[in-house]
Each structure stands twice: as structure tokens, then as C-alpha cells.
Amino acid sequence: MGKTTLKSLAQALNMSVSTVSKALNDSHETSEITKKKVQDFAKKHNYQPNVLAQFLKTGKTQTIGVVLPKMTSPFESQILEGMQQTASALHYRIVIMNSMESEDLEKAALQSMLDKAVDGILFCPIHESSNLELAKQIQKTTPLVIFDRTNYPIDTHKIGVLNSAGTYQACKHLLDIGRNRMAIFCGTRQGITATRLSGYFEAHSDFGLPIAPEYTVYCNVKSISELQADMEQHVKKLLQLPNPPNAIIGVADTITTHLLGVLAKLEVKVPDTLAVIGFANTDLALSLNPSLSTIRQPTKDIGEISVTKLVEVIQKTNRSQIEWEDIKLPTSIQLRRSTIG
């Protein structure tokens, strides 16, 4: 068999094109036995549906676009895994574009998704106002759901975590082990920064701790090399203060996981001099030296729920009646040697 088409599948299976099409689309008009036979045969022969023909016939491509700011940590790969599995189960394909924390690239990615005629877009914006007007325009014709960085002023479903509560929990743990001078490392112009900082400030207020402005640090997250160089300079400045911090909280996976390497380079003892905890979903946290205390997010759930909610919107005929949900999932804390020695 040459290139596998709907027609060639039908001929090989001795079925009508209509029956094969219905089986591939999981139609209730075909039996489960027929569906399995057709789908298994199509998979074996690497059948790829003609997206253009499908679009011309139904106005749908069964394709979901995903635009996210970076793909450099386990956090993103775990979310994408959840999205991929759920999309596949719902008979959708995923197209992924990385904006690399650049508003210009983010704009190009969103526009490219429209060119690809995706049925809907899952969008993690760089920050609270990045390409906001474009997103509003897109939403008039194409369903759009926000995930992860949900502090974005647009009416749609939003799926993220209880960011403030996660940072608050980290502060409480540090206070419980006697670390009351906590610096916090944030990403410059990242959409998660404000809400995660609010938990830091709330904890200081609740426990009667003064807030040292110099302890709030903003790092350049454009690239790993820039981030590491930036964090190195910030750590040096903090340790030279008359009253230096005795702990650091990282508000993003990339910051937290690279911080231990920066401290090792500077020969700063962890946790003796600085305890370290932060948002990180890496499965290598236990293998780092020292093992890393983390605030872990339910990444796969974020991906699964995001796709489910987007598909619900895609399949709605009257979207004006949808009640938008702002879904916030709880984080969990995993304590290891970077804070408890």
C-alpha cells in the first residue's frame, strides 16, 4: 500500500468509505468491533487524515494549538503530556509553539495558529498584558483557554494553581525551621510573579516579620545563561548586606532548579548558609546535591483540564451562555535536604 488514504483503507478492509470514516471518528453509528478493526488497521498503516479536506467538509481540523513561553523544564513537558493524552483521547491533534518569553514571538505564534486553522488555542501568556488585544480579537472567532499564568484579563476558562498559597506554605516551612530572613527570586515580567509574591508578603504580615525590599529579587529569564549570570550577581549582593538572608525561595521552576548550581559555584553552603525551596516539578529533585525542597504543582492535571475545557467550548454552539471557570488547583510541598539538612 502506498500513501494510506481513506479510500485505500476502505478498499483494503472491504468496507465503504463512509463506514471507515465513521469508525475513525468514533461515530455511534458503527459497532465497537468495526471501530477497533478500522482504527487498528489505520494505525498499523500510518494513516494521516487529510486536514484540508476535513476542514472544507466540516469547518473543523480536529487540531488544538498550544502557545507557551518556554519549554526548558519538566514543568512544561508534564503539562504537555497531560494535554497530549487528553487531546488524543478526544480525537484532537496538538500543535505546539514556544514564544521563548518574547512578546514578538508570542504574537507570531498566535497568528500562526490562526493560519493553521486550529479549532481552539491553549495559551499561557508571558505576562498580564502580553498581546492582550490580539488575544481578545482571536477569541471572537476561535475559542481560547488560558493555562498556568492565569492572571490575564480576558473572559474565558483559566486553569492554574493556588500560587499564593504555595509561596505562603514555603515561607511557613522556613519559619518553622528558624529561617526568618527569606529572599525571594522572581522572573522579570512573568505572569506568575505577582500572585506568588502575594503569598510571600501575606506570610510576612501574618507572622509579624518586616519586609526587606532588597530581599525581593527579579531575574532575567530570557535564557539559562542570562539567568545563571543574573542570579550569581544577586546572590553576591545579598550576602554582602549587613543583614543577609538565610533562605531563598524560587518562584519558578527554572529559577529554583538552577539556583543550587549557582550557589555551588559560589561555594555557598546549602542549607547551612542559605536554605533553598521553590516551585519545581523536576523528578531529579531528590538526586540533586543537596536534594531540593520543592513546591510541586499538579502539572498533568493542568494539561488534562485545559484540553477538556477547550474542547467543551469548541463543541458549544452557543458560547455566549458559557459560565467561565477560574480553576485553581492546590500545590504540595516536598521537604528535602536543601532546607532541613
Side-chain angles (χ1 to χ4, degrees), residues 22 30 149 193 197 205 210 243 257 264:
K22 289 176 181 177
T30 55
R149 303 182 184 183
T193 296
L197 265 178
S205 174
N243 197 26
T257 52

Side-chain angles (χ1 to χ4, degrees), residues 23 102 104 146 152 170 207 228 236 265:
S102 162
D104 289 339
I146 305 296
Y152 196 69
F207 295 104
Q228 290 175 334
K236 288 178 180 177
K265 179 182 177 181

Side-chain angles (χ1 to χ4, degrees), residues 88-133:
S88 179
L90 295 172
H91 307 290
Y92 281 84
R93 293 175 292 276
I94 294 281
V95 177
I96 304 164
M97 296 195 74
N98 176 10
S99 66
M100 299 174 68
E101 301 283 0
S102 162
E103 290 183 62
D104 289 339
L105 290 178
E106 181 180 77
K107 180 179 180 181
L110 288 169
Q111 291 174 331
S112 178
M113 290 301 178
L114 296 182
D115 295 339
K116 296 178 190 299
V118 298
D119 295 338
I121 298 173
L122 294 171
F123 180 36
C124 178
I126 294 172
H127 57 77
E128 294 89 339
S129 59
S130 62
N131 289 295
L132 178 59
E133 292 308 312

Side-chain angles (χ1 to χ4, degrees), residues 9-70:
L9 283 178
Q11 290 174 340
L13 291 164
N14 196 25
M15 296 179 183
S16 69
V17 171
S18 175
T19 297
V20 171
S21 176
K22 289 176 181 177
L24 290 172
N25 287 288
D26 203 27
S27 170
H28 67 277
E29 297 179 42
T30 55
S31 69
E32 293 303 318
I33 293 174
T34 300
K35 286 178 189 177
K36 187 175 190 314
K37 182 178 180 180
V38 172
Q39 291 170 6
D40 288 350
F41 189 84
K43 184 177 181 180
K44 179 181 178 181
H45 291 277
N46 195 31
Y47 168 70
Q48 299 296 323
N50 187 324
V51 176
L52 177 58
Q54 187 178 45
F55 177 69
L56 292 174
K57 182 179 179 180
T58 66
K60 303 290 185 184
T61 61
Q62 293 300 117
T63 304
I64 291 171
V66 180
V67 178
L68 71 171
K70 57 187 176 69

